[in-house]
């Protein structure tokens, strides 16, 4: 049984009785939860539990996997995501995403950031310059790269590349930022930097992160959702979930008995 | 020192090892035959043709007498044909590759196209000549023109371009497409701004190799009739033309020794051009491999 | 550090619609390209299908017309081919004989040498040798066939005539050997691909039991890669059948039912070139022979290619 504790902030995303199938595989089972605005929500659980799948429904990246079927309701700001009204590209512009592996384009740092704005029709050099600068500043990368924006993105370290990817996502000005195990390929110091960055960004963006590392969830998030076998076992304020879980399975997981 | 390595099988093991060494030598000899053949070919041609490798070859038109005969019209014809072929085969070939890799559903029809392409790659070039003769020369009334030749060769090299472009596109990591989609790019934006730029050097390598195949092809062009003394340069797409390999063939089939030398010097020019093209393909490939 | 407000971005990107408004995710762009491109690209891909259809229709329609004038049985079983000189006869067997002779000689050269090179490169060769030999083979594969034709006539033929004084200026042996040299790289690279996809673990297993390199190569790698090797041999065969310029230049133009490789012969491909060089008028029976012979050539190579693909897929080892 999912137990919702009162969240203080206004919910931005609401999911009700969501079921998702990959062919005959039932990947998400009757998922219901709400995600608050301008806060960090963490999805935790063992691998294959459906946390990444749910994250990918929020910007409909699952659409590209053939044989995906969805039932139930998932809405952002009251708009049903899987209705005909929704233009997927517009949705993805407002719901940015950062992936597990840093995946910069084989272009310059500048062109990486400008990729998104250019997609959406921004051509003016001055506007692009401004966007590149603000995005890199938001991702706390500006000071490190401002003198060599023309250099290849691959010249950056892994942690810098991931912050570049965050900056790239911010450049199209999303409201929501999805982070799919964004630190799992990084060393501890780079991980810490990304976590600090997430803390700073949550004042302006709604952040949903999937993590396989529950200590990260405990450190960073405001709300935590625990998944098991495609179901939401429990979700509540992070502090409460980790100190006083209601479900035995949650307790087993966070105390390291499985997973 | 009666260790376990000195058992009764020693003789047998020694025999097996000797056999391994002998056959190893056989393999080396077999492999070097291919290398030696190439050396023999190059030396043979250089010895026959170097003496005739003079400015006349580039500045003169072919003539009935070997002395002063050149291959100007053939060199220009080959280059014109490439210039016409390049954009047409690039667009058709890369377009088909993008369709198959990025758009086509996994269904019977896609499999049919794929099977068809690999089968077409194995069709003898002379059969393309028959197709070109019927379709372009006769049916579309291009006559025995540059255009008919270029189109025939385009069909011939398309399978090569498609297959190599598909490989280049397939090598682009999925994460790079995801990054683009996640920024709100449409399918075509993702393809044109992320997938193609990431695979362009691989695609170009394939295109260059296809062009070098085209520039050395003789049989289909003989079929569509690019085989006369051409002592003018083509000025329009509908003009008749000749190309280097055909000029060489023409010279080879003459009995006189002087024409043989002329043929060999023509071959030197052709091989030099191919070498340049292949070298640029290798440069591109190295650039491409560095990126990933 | 964050002096620039996101509102500045918002203005630049002109996305003032709030995420909570009902129109938040409505499309406000026209994407004509995105809609058109799949269709345009599909048309590009369909050119390959149209090419096949074009080849089949061309060959079929003219061949059928040809068989209205020449009985099909005479074509298939006739032992004399002289369509250009009277008395005309249209038996394709001499041409087929010439083609098969060239192909057999070529395969006798190319398959053992190609396979041995592949085993050497995949199992024995040090890295340095590999990286030196592979480009040579690539160059060998890229040499135009007319150049090989010259090589046959000016180098191999004199060599053969030194050894066998009875050999003609044009003979099947010379052309066959050079066709074989031409397809060595193909056999080698396809077989080597098949062998290098045999997993390391399989080799390690045999080495751990004390096998020599030769035993690993012949008893483990070659059997495991066998389907790929057979496919490469079939493709080589098909390629030799379709080869045109080498045989046109070096094998002669006398369609005979001979078994002697030192004789001048004519292949199907060389015949097609011969006719198209002359001024045979369009629409005549003589002209129709191009298509009948071309059809025969196409059908044989087509079936061989399908066979090669079938072998490669059907007998693929599951690792």
């Amino acid at each position: 049984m999912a137990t919702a504790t009162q969240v203080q902030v206004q919910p931005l995303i609401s999911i009700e009785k969501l079921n998702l199938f990959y062919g005959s595989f039932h990947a998400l089972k009757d998922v219901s939860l709400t995600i608050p605005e301008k806060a960090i929500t963490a999805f935790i659980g063992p691998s294959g539990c459906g946390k990444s799948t749910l994250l990918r429904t929020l910007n409909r990246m699952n659409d590209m996997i053939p044989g995906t079927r969805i039932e139930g309701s998932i809405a952002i700001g009251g708009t049903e995501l899987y209705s005909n009204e929704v233009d997927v590209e517009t949705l993805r512009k407002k719901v940015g995403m950062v992936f597990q592996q840093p995946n910069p384009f084989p272009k310059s740092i500048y062109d990486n950031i400008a990729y998104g704005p250019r997609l959406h029709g921004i051509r003016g050099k001055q506007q692009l310059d401004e966007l590149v600068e603000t995005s890199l500043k938001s991702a706390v990368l500006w000071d490190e790269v401002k003198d060599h924006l023309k250099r290849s993105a691959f010249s950056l370290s892994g942690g810098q590349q991931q912050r570049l990817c965050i900056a790239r996502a911010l450049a199209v000005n999303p409201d929501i930022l999805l982070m799919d195990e964004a630190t799992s390929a990084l060393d501890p110091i780079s991980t810490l930097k990304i976590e600090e960055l997430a803390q700073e960004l949550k004042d302006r963006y709604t952040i949903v992160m999937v993590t396989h590392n529950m200590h990260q969830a405990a450190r960073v998030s405001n709300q935590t959702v625990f998944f098991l076998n495609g179901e939401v076992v429990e979700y509540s304020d992070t502090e409460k979930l980790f100190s006083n879980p209601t479900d035995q399975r949650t307790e087993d997981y966070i105390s390291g008995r499985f997973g | 020192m009666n260790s376990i390595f000195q058992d009764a099988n020693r003789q047998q093991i020694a025999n097996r090892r000797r056999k391994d060494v002998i056959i190893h030598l056989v393999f080396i000899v077999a492999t070097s035959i291919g290398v030696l053949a190439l050396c023999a070919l190059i030396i043979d041609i250089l010895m026959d043709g170097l003496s005739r490798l003079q400015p006349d070859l580039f500045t003169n038109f072919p003539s009935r007498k070997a002395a002063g005969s050149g291959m100007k019209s053939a060199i220009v014809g080959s280059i014109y044909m490439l210039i016409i072929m390049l954009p047409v085969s690039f667009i058709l070939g890369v377009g088909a590759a993008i369709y198959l890799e990025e758009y086509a559903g996994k269904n019977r029809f896609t499999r049919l196209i794929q099977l068809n392409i690999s089968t077409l790659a194995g069709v003898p070039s002379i059969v393309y000549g028959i197709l070109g003769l019927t379709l372009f020369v006769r049916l579309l009334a291009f006559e025995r023109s540059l255009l008919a030749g270029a189109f025939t060769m385009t069909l011939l090299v398309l399978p090569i371009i498609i297959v190599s472009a598909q490989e280049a596109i397939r090598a682009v990591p999925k994460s790079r497409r995801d990054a683009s989609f996640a920024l709100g790019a449409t399918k075509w934006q993702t393809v044109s701004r992320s997938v193609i730029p990431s695979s362009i050097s691989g695609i170009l390598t394939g295109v260059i190799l296809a062009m070098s195949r085209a520039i050395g092809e003789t049989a289909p062009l003989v079929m569509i009739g690019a085989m006369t003394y051409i002592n003018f340069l083509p000025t329009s797409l509908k003009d008749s033309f000749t190309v280097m390999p055909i000029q060489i063939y023409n010279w080879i089939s003459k009995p006189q020794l002087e024409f043989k030398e002329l043929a060999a010097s023509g071959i030197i020019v052709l091989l030099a051009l191919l070498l340049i093209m292949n070298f640029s393909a290798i440069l591109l490939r190295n650039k491409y491999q560095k990126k990933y | 550090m964050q002096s620039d407000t996101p509102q500045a971005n918002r203005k630049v990107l002109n996305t003032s619609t709030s995420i909570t408004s009902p129109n938040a995710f409505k499309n406000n762009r026209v994407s004509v390209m995105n809609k058109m491109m799949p269709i345009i690209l599909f048309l590009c891909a369909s050119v390959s299908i149209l090419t096949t259809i074009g080849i089949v229709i061309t060959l079929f329609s003219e061949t059928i017309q040809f068989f209205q004038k020449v009985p099909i049985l005479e074509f298939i079983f006739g032992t004399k081919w002289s369509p250009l000189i009277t008395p005309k006869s249209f038996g394709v067997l001499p041409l087929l004989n010439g083609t098969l002779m060239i192909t057999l000689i070529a395969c006798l050269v190319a398959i053992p040498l190609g396979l041995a090179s592949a085993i050497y490169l995949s199992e024995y060769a040090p890295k340095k040798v590999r990286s030196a030999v592979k480009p040579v083979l690539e160059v060998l594969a890229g040499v135009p066939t007319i150049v090989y034709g010259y090589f046959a006539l000016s180098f191999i033929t004199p060599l053969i005539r030194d050894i066998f004084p009875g050999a003609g200026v044009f003979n099947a042996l010379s052309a066959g050997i050079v066709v074989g040299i031409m397809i060595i790289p193909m056999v080698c690279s396809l077989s080597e691909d098949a062998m290098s996809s045999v997993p390391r673990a399989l080799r390690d297993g045999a080495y751990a039991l004390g096998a020599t390199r030769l035993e690993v190569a012949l008893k483990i790698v070659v059997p495991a890669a066998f389907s790929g090797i057979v496919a490469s041999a079939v493709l080589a065969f098909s390629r030799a059948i379709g080869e045109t310029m080498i045989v046109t230049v070096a094998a002669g133009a006398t369609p005979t039912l001979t078994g002697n490789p030192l004789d001048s012969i004519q292949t199907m491909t060389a015949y097609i070139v011969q006719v198209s060089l002359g001024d045979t008028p369009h629409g005549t029976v003589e002209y129709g022979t191009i298509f009948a012979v071309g059809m025969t050539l196409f059908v044989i190579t087509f079936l061989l290619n399908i066979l090669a693909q079938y072998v490669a897929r059907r007998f693929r080892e599951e690792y």
Side-chain angles (χ1 to χ4, degrees):
Chain A
M1 242 347 265
T3 0
T5 331
Q6 195 59 45
V7 200
Q8 295 88 343
V9 211
Q10 182 75 22
L12 178 65
I13 304 170
S14 55
I15 301 164
E16 248 175 89
K17 296 225 169 278
L18 187 77
N19 283 284
L20 185 143
F21 303 84
Y22 292 128
S24 59
F25 176 65
H26 199 168
L28 290 176
K29 298 167 190 159
D30 267 340
V31 170
S32 296
L33 62 104
T34 59
I35 292 171
E37 194 175 8
K38 305 230 158 78
I40 299 179
T41 300
F43 292 177
I44 62 168
S47 34
C49 66
K51 53 192 194 301
S52 277
T53 303
L54 181 64
L55 192 78
R56 283 165 170 265
T57 57
L58 291 172
N59 63 349
R60 288 185 56 175
M61 286 295 275
N62 283 328
D63 287 18
M64 279 174 288
I65 302 169
T68 309
R69 195 158 47 85
I70 280 200
E71 290 164 6
S73 158
I74 177 163
I76 297 180
T79 311
E80 198 56 52
L81 291 192
Y82 283 84
S83 77
N84 293 333
E85 294 283 283
V86 170
D87 175 61
V88 184
E89 284 82 38
T90 314
L91 168 70
R92 290 185 189 144
K93 196 170 98 183
K94 301 206 170 180
V95 183
M97 188 167 198
V98 182
F99 297 83
Q100 191 168 356
Q101 294 280 343
N103 56 354
F105 299 115
K107 300 172 188 278
S108 69
I109 294 169
Y110 184 97
D111 286 337
N112 261 280
I113 308 291
Y115 187 93
R118 280 179 179 142
L119 286 178
H120 302 289
I122 292 177
R123 289 273 175 271
K125 188 175 181 311
Q126 207 177 342
Q127 284 175 309
L128 284 174
D129 286 350
E130 196 182 316
L131 271 168
V132 169
E133 187 175 338
T134 51
S135 309
L136 284 171
K137 278 181 176 160
S138 298
V140 203
L141 190 60
W142 175 251
D143 291 331
E144 291 158 65
V145 302
K146 64 182 173 200
D147 296 324
H148 28 80
L149 292 173
K150 294 288 165 208
R151 236 184 241 178
S152 162
F154 290 139
S155 65
L156 300 175
S157 73
Q160 287 175 321
Q161 285 187 19
Q162 194 62 299
R163 276 180 285 146
L164 178 76
C165 291
I166 294 174
R168 182 176 66 187
L170 298 182
V172 290
N173 190 35
D175 293 84
I176 300 171
L177 190 61
L178 309 177
M179 300 173 87
D180 190 0
E181 300 198 15
T183 61
S184 68
L186 303 180
D187 60 89
I189 292 170
S190 306
T191 301
L192 190 67
K193 277 197 175 156
I194 303 268
E195 286 177 7
E196 285 168 5
L197 175 59
Q199 290 288 3
E200 277 173 26
L201 291 175
K202 78 168 181 207
D203 299 336
R204 291 181 280 151
Y205 304 92
T206 304
I207 295 177
V208 186
M209 60 161 60
V210 163
T211 174
H212 64 286
N213 173 351
M214 45 187 167
H215 303 293
Q216 183 170 61
R219 281 195 299 268
V220 185
S221 70
N222 304 92
Q223 175 184 281
T224 300
V225 186
F226 173 54
F227 288 79
L228 194 60
N229 297 329
E231 285 175 82
V232 170
V233 173
E234 178 165 359
Y235 79 98
S236 66
D237 280 0
T238 300
E239 213 166 296
K240 178 175 178 305
L241 188 124
F242 279 98
S243 58
N244 189 15
T246 15
D247 197 291
Q248 183 59 42
R249 290 170 294 173
T250 315
E251 190 171 345
D252 288 349
Y253 183 71
I254 57 176
S255 58
R257 256 168 246 157
F258 74 94
Chain B
M1 270 284 292
N2 237 349
S3 79
I4 54 163
F5 301 112
Q6 291 188 338
D7 59 6
N9 281 339
R10 234 170 66 186
Q11 190 55 42
Q12 188 253 2
I13 288 176
N15 281 340
R16 283 165 59 206
R17 198 161 291 152
R18 193 171 313 127
K19 203 168 145 200
D20 182 46
V21 170
I22 293 169
I23 309 257
H24 185 176
L25 281 175
V26 173
F27 285 148
I28 291 179
V29 169
T31 308
S32 27
I33 288 180
V35 179
L36 287 177
L38 185 67
C39 296
L41 185 148
I42 289 170
I43 292 168
D44 181 43
I45 285 161
L46 287 180
M47 275 170 47
D48 291 356
L50 267 184
S51 62
R52 295 299 302 248
L53 200 64
Q54 285 154 4
D56 279 2
L57 196 66
F58 302 93
T59 55
N60 287 11
F61 289 112
S63 87
R64 301 213 172 274
K65 273 182 261 158
S69 208
M71 59 188 312
K72 183 182 180 185
S73 49
I75 295 173
V76 172
S78 279
I79 290 169
Y80 281 1
M81 197 183 72
L82 274 195
I83 292 173
I84 302 169
M85 278 181 68
L86 189 64
V88 182
S89 55
F90 182 87
I91 290 171
L92 289 179
V94 178
I98 294 171
Y99 176 78
L100 289 169
E101 287 302 311
E102 302 288 325
Y103 286 91
K106 284 200 186 330
N107 52 35
R108 291 183 76 110
F109 187 66
T110 310
R111 277 205 301 279
L112 179 76
I113 299 186
Q114 198 69 66
L115 182 74
N116 180 56
I117 289 167
S118 42
T119 314
L120 275 181
V123 170
S125 59
I126 189 115
V127 172
Y128 283 95
I130 298 179
L131 175 68
L133 179 67
T134 315
L135 181 63
F136 299 124
V137 176
R138 293 254 146 65
L139 213 61
L140 299 177
F142 291 166
E143 301 299 327
R144 297 168 178 278
S145 66
L146 201 49
L147 198 60
F151 280 178
T152 305
M153 294 308 260
T154 299
L155 294 186
L156 176 77
V157 299
L158 265 186
I160 304 173
I161 297 182
I162 295 174
V163 170
S164 60
Q166 276 186 284
E167 276 167 17
I169 290 170
R170 218 175 293 144
V172 177
K174 184 179 167 292
S175 65
R176 212 165 281 164
R177 294 181 178 81
D178 283 350
S180 175
F181 283 125
L183 290 167
T186 61
K187 183 96 186 179
W188 174 243
Q189 284 176 320
T190 299
V191 168
S192 62
R193 296 172 193 221
S194 180
V195 177
I196 297 180
S198 290
S199 53
I200 191 68
S201 42
I203 292 174
L204 288 179
T205 308
V207 171
I208 293 176
L209 291 180
M211 290 301 126
S212 55
R213 166 87 192 271
I215 213 166
E217 223 12 286
T218 321
L221 294 176
V222 171
M223 287 297 302
I224 68 155
M227 181 73 193
T228 33
Y229 276 113
I230 301 289
N231 48 9
F232 57 89
L233 298 182
T235 50
S236 84
L237 294 176
K238 291 277 200 155
D239 280 352
S240 49
F241 71 112
T242 189
V243 293
M244 282 190 269
I246 288 192
Q247 186 63 64
I248 293 164
Y249 172 48
N250 194 318
W251 284 333
I252 290 178
S253 36
K254 290 183 189 302
Q256 297 93 326
L257 188 67
E258 304 86 68
F259 280 110
K260 286 260 144 63
E261 293 171 2
L262 213 47
S265 59
I267 287 174
I268 295 174
V269 177
L270 179 63
L271 289 182
L273 185 61
L274 284 173
L275 206 65
I276 293 170
M277 292 173 79
N278 279 303
F279 190 66
S280 50
I282 290 169
L283 282 185
L284 268 174
R285 197 185 322 174
N286 289 347
K287 195 180 155 202
Y288 167 74
Q289 279 168 344
K290 228 180 284 163
K291 224 170 227 175
Y292 290 97
Chain C
M1 200 180 265
Q2 285 141 31
S3 55
D4 298 277
T5 64
Q7 270 65 35
N9 291 9
R10 216 167 271 261
K11 239 175 100 192
V12 172
L13 276 165
N14 193 22
T15 51
S16 43
T17 336
S18 155
I19 195 163
T20 48
S21 90
N23 293 331
F25 306 130
K26 275 215 177 124
N27 189 3
N28 43 17
R29 294 173 296 157
V30 209
S31 49
V32 187
M33 284 297 268
N34 196 42
K35 295 230 162 60
M36 293 289 295
M37 282 324 285
I39 302 165
I40 295 171
L41 296 173
F42 173 77
L43 291 178
C44 292
S46 57
V47 169
S48 81
I49 295 276
L50 293 178
T51 307
T52 309
I53 295 174
I55 290 174
V56 171
I57 290 178
T58 303
L59 291 176
F60 249 100
S61 60
E62 298 272 351
T63 306
I64 285 170
Q65 283 180 34
F66 173 77
F67 283 136
Q68 282 163 355
K69 295 169 196 156
V70 174
I72 188 163
L73 289 179
E74 184 194 332
F75 180 74
I76 296 177
F77 295 110
T79 55
K80 192 163 185 299
W81 180 261
S82 60
L84 303 176
I85 21 167
T86 40
K88 292 178 177 160
S89 53
F90 300 94
V92 81
L93 282 182
L95 291 183
L96 213 53
N97 176 65
T99 296
L100 280 181
M101 198 140 88
I102 295 289
T103 307
L104 282 179
I105 297 168
C107 286
L108 283 177
V109 172
I111 293 175
L113 290 183
L115 194 54
S117 313
I119 295 175
Y120 176 70
L121 289 178
S122 143
E123 305 299 316
Y124 284 87
K127 223 176 163 197
K128 264 189 185 162
V129 176
R130 260 178 71 89
S131 56
V133 172
K134 291 209 87 174
V136 171
L137 290 176
E138 271 175 51
V139 172
L140 212 51
V143 171
T145 56
I146 185 70
V147 178
Y148 279 115
Y150 180 88
F151 179 60
L153 204 57
S154 82
F155 188 83
I156 302 288
T157 301
L159 216 62
I160 289 175
R161 277 156 63 91
D162 283 348
I163 303 170
F164 307 103
V169 179
F170 302 108
N171 64 71
L173 186 59
S174 169
I177 289 173
V178 176
V179 172
I181 292 174
M182 182 194 78
I183 53 184
I184 287 175
M186 194 176 103
V187 178
C188 177
S189 77
L190 290 177
S191 308
E192 204 217 328
D193 284 351
M195 287 186 222
S196 55
S197 68
V198 173
R200 246 212 102 68
L202 230 56
R203 291 187 180 87
D204 289 348
Y207 280 128
L209 292 173
T212 61
R213 266 193 301 193
L214 179 69
E215 286 158 350
V216 170
L218 295 187
K219 293 182 183 155
I220 305 289
V221 178
V222 169
F226 197 64
S227 64
I229 294 171
V230 172
S232 81
V234 176
L235 284 177
F237 199 81
S238 158
R239 180 78 190 277
I241 288 178
E243 172 42 39
T244 308
M245 290 324 287
I246 299 174
V247 290
T248 304
V249 168
T254 33
T256 38
L257 259 181
T258 174
N260 182 356
L262 301 176
D263 282 353
S264 165
I265 49 123
Q266 187 167 41
T267 65
M268 296 191 283
T269 50
Y271 171 74
I272 297 175
V273 170
Q274 187 196 356
V275 174
S276 60
L277 282 177
D279 38 10
T280 316
H282 176 61
T284 58
V285 188
E286 293 86 331
Y287 196 80
T289 54
I290 293 186
F291 296 91
V293 173
M295 183 80 185
T296 315
L297 189 63
F298 177 70
V299 169
I300 294 174
T301 50
F302 183 82
L303 290 178
L304 285 173
N305 287 337
I306 298 281
L307 176 69
Q309 290 184 21
Y310 176 78
V311 169
R313 212 166 330 155
R314 175 71 180 73
F315 299 106
R316 176 163 297 155
E317 296 273 335
E318 297 292 338
Y319 302 123

